[in-house]
Amino acid sequence: MAEFDYCVVGAGFAGLTAALRLKQAGHSVVLLEARDRVGGRTFTVTRDDGVWIDRGGAWVGPGQDRIHALMDEFGVPEYKQHNDGEAIMIVGGKKHRYGGTIPWTMSPWAVANLGLGLLSMEKMCKSIPRESPWEAKQAEEWDRISLGEWLQKNTASKQAREMLDMALAGVYTSAASETSLLWVLLQMGSATSSTIGGPTFVISGKGGAQDARPVGGMGAIYRQIAAELGDALQLSRPVRQIAQDADGVTVRSDDLTVRARRVIVAIPLAIATSIDYEPMLPLDRAFLHQRMPSGAVIKTSIFYDEPFWRADGLSGQSTSPGSPATLTIDACTDTAVPGIMCVITEGPAARQLTKLDEAERKSLVVGELVDRFGGRASTPVEFHEQNWSTDRYSGGGMIGHAPTGVLTQFGYTLRPPCGRIHWAGTESSATMCGWIDGAVRSGERAATEAIAAETTAAVS
């Protein structure tokens, strides 16, 4: 049995960062990853000619100081997301081409409703204590209703409601009816350290969550972390059991057993129940695992010889609630050639798309692009599809979410350790919850927490 100071489970950005900080602090560490690759819910594929695509998380924004710190540490520069030109929104069967954040070509009534909805969300987000949202003055009220119920009651315009549903619920890759309003306020409000904050940050390109991308993709960061970890990183090691006792933890994979003083579990909540914990976890923490699902999302990268939409005065950003291409965004590298269009299909639309075969999905998605960007979209040279909904070790969409009633009952268990088991993952971060930056923060927190616990134990 191999022995280490610390064991980390899961090699997404949370686990990679935790293991890196533990090693840099002079401790022996082993990082066990179920997949045959690192990166977790980020996944960069690089062609022989150096062109890359991010098949998972891809963007960084202002206020995301910890992912930027990692980029600086490993010498990875960023480049700005292409935002020049007009966006397209299709709502109620009508196409709107516009500049800015809101499609002003819609009816004044819909525009007013949309603006008021965002303003109300912004105000509620600011009232949430990020470390303990379940203690907010209106926490019980907001946790009793879903985002969908709130939109129904507070948005009179059907067009505005559809747009807010897509823009806000899309982050959780689930229907608005499935997601607690309190969770939405927590997640969006966790970005208030940025220059924008709240829902405006979530949906914005320039100055928002889609402000920039690392040159070389997220893989340019995580591959260097993996290289620094060296033999400490063990791939294709799905953890089956974590047993803790008074002296340490025993972590078992199929053909490897390790002994450590403490373990950091940095896998999505939706699959945390796949591990057998001995003794069993405290009831409320176990219930949290059962009640924090992920949604459905398909991310498709479509290659063209050039980004032809730019010459047409378009940014590449488009949205159409409920369609096979819920949203699109220009995903070109820093060289802008070839043209790469990213299509993200979320929630119920992604579930429906998954029922079709690959050829049918491709036909529908390309057809959507032709409707929005013209005939040149009909002849892609490459088509790359990543269905995160069926990824065994992700458990579904980009981040987990809390249905109604979960945060006020079980949210307090998101971060505190359970004996010698510590928790990391973007959903546990009080700042930038749901983003890659939140994952990095959670890994650093868990590493610091585990070292402090051992130091305290040694002194006592």
Side-chain angles (χ1 to χ4, degrees):
M1 182 185 301
E3 296 190 4
F4 301 88
D5 294 334
Y6 300 97
C7 176
V8 180
V9 179
F13 266 94
L16 285 167
T17 305
L20 176 68
R21 298 307 182 215
L22 289 167
K23 182 178 180 181
Q24 290 174 333
H27 302 285
S28 62
V29 61
V30 62
L31 172 55
L32 305 180
E33 166 57 44
R35 297 179 176 91
D36 60 359
R37 64 171 184 84
V38 299
R41 289 175 279 189
T42 64
F43 182 20
T44 304
V45 177
T46 305
R47 302 194 315 186
D48 292 340
D49 61 0
V51 174
W52 75 87
I53 55 172
D54 276 314
R55 302 178 75 143
W59 287 275
V60 295
Q64 298 186 345
D65 303 328
R66 299 318 302 157
I67 184 63
H68 278 110
L70 267 184
M71 292 167 66
D72 291 343
E73 186 174 341
F74 289 100
V76 179
E78 70 174 27
Y79 69 102
K80 292 297 183 179
Q81 169 66 38
H82 177 77
N83 287 304
D84 295 339
E86 295 182 315
I88 293 173
M89 178 170 286
I90 302 172
V91 61
K94 185 176 180 181
K95 183 187 294 184
H96 301 270
R97 181 168 167 160
Y98 63 98
T101 304
I102 294 177
W104 300 101
T105 56
M106 293 195 327
S107 74
W109 175 243
V111 170
N113 267 252
L114 183 59
L116 285 172
L118 289 172
L119 191 62
S120 295
M121 278 281 173
E122 200 85 41
K123 184 177 179 180
M124 290 189 291
C125 282
K126 291 178 179 177
S127 72
I128 295 288
R130 286 184 290 168
E131 294 286 344
S132 53
W134 41 87
E135 295 178 358
K137 184 177 179 180
Q138 293 176 273
E140 294 285 348
E141 174 188 344
W142 290 339
D143 204 28
R144 278 197 301 268
I145 64 171
S146 68
L147 172 61
E149 289 177 272
W150 186 88
L151 290 174
Q152 190 69 37
K153 293 176 181 177
N154 292 274
T155 313
S157 164
K158 184 175 184 294
Q159 285 187 334
R161 186 161 57 248
E162 287 180 358
M163 292 167 60
L164 285 169
D165 187 316
M166 176 196 63
L168 303 180
V171 177
Y172 317 108
T173 61
S174 299
S177 60
E178 299 177 71
T179 308
S180 159
L181 176 62
L182 183 63
W183 171 259
V184 174
L185 298 176
L186 158 64
Q187 192 273 325
M188 293 192 301
S190 73
T192 52
S193 65
S194 73
T195 54
I196 301 178
T200 306
F201 178 82
V202 175
I203 65 176
S204 293
K206 185 177 181 180
Q210 288 76 234
D211 181 72
R213 298 178 64 189
V215 175
M218 285 296 164
I221 310 168
Y222 67 63
R223 288 173 188 142
Q224 293 193 73
I225 300 176
E228 185 157 328
L229 290 173
D231 293 341
L233 173 62
Q234 297 284 314
L235 300 178
S236 301
R237 304 284 192 184
V239 169
R240 308 301 185 188
Q241 184 185 63
I242 297 174
Q244 59 174 316
D245 53 47
D247 300 316
V249 294
T250 302
V251 183
R252 295 184 174 89
S253 184
D254 292 333
D255 54 359
L256 177 69
T257 299
V258 302
R259 182 73 178 169
R261 285 186 249 167
R262 293 180 179 271
V263 61
I264 296 173
V265 177
I267 60 176
L269 284 159
I271 61 169
T273 54
S274 64
I275 298 175
D276 173 31
Y277 302 92
E278 293 291 342
M280 292 181 63
L281 295 176
L283 189 60
D284 282 3
R285 177 70 200 197
F287 278 6
L288 181 75
H289 289 181
Q290 297 171 13
R291 287 160 170 78
M292 285 280 289
S294 293
V297 62
I298 301 173
K299 186 173 184 181
T300 308
S301 300
I302 303 174
F303 281 63
Y304 297 94
D305 291 329
E306 61 181 359
F308 60 85
W309 51 89
R310 296 186 183 184
D312 293 337
L314 293 168
S315 66
Q317 295 179 32
S318 72
T319 53
S320 180
S323 79
T326 314
L327 61 94
T328 71
I329 188 167
D330 184 312
C332 296
T333 70
D334 56 319
T335 65
V337 177
I340 307 173
M341 181 67 76
C342 170
V343 178
I344 301 177
T345 311
E346 302 165 331
R351 298 205 315 269
Q352 292 302 314
L353 205 58
T354 298
K355 296 175 183 178
L356 306 178
D357 63 35
E358 184 178 356
E360 290 173 316
R361 292 196 297 271
K362 181 177 179 179
S363 177
L364 280 175
V365 169
V366 171
E368 288 285 336
L369 297 186
V370 171
D371 288 343
R372 299 175 204 183
F373 301 106
R376 295 183 67 182
S378 66
T379 54
V381 295
E382 290 183 36
F383 188 91
H384 300 264
E385 182 185 76
Q386 184 74 27
N387 188 351
W388 290 98
S389 322
T390 56
D391 187 290
R392 182 186 301 273
Y393 296 115
S394 292
M398 297 171 283
I399 63 171
H401 67 271
T404 55
V406 173
L407 275 184
T408 48
Q409 293 295 313
F410 311 107
Y412 75 96
T413 69
L414 268 169
R415 285 181 290 276
C418 297
R420 292 179 175 272
I421 302 175
H422 299 258
W423 309 103
T426 187
E427 292 87 354
S428 71
S429 182
T431 300
M432 293 296 170
C433 170
W435 286 280
I436 298 168
D437 180 80
V440 173
R441 290 173 188 270
S442 75
E444 292 179 331
R445 170 191 51 78
T448 300
E449 181 183 88
I451 292 172
E454 278 305 300
T455 301
T456 300
V459 171
S460 60

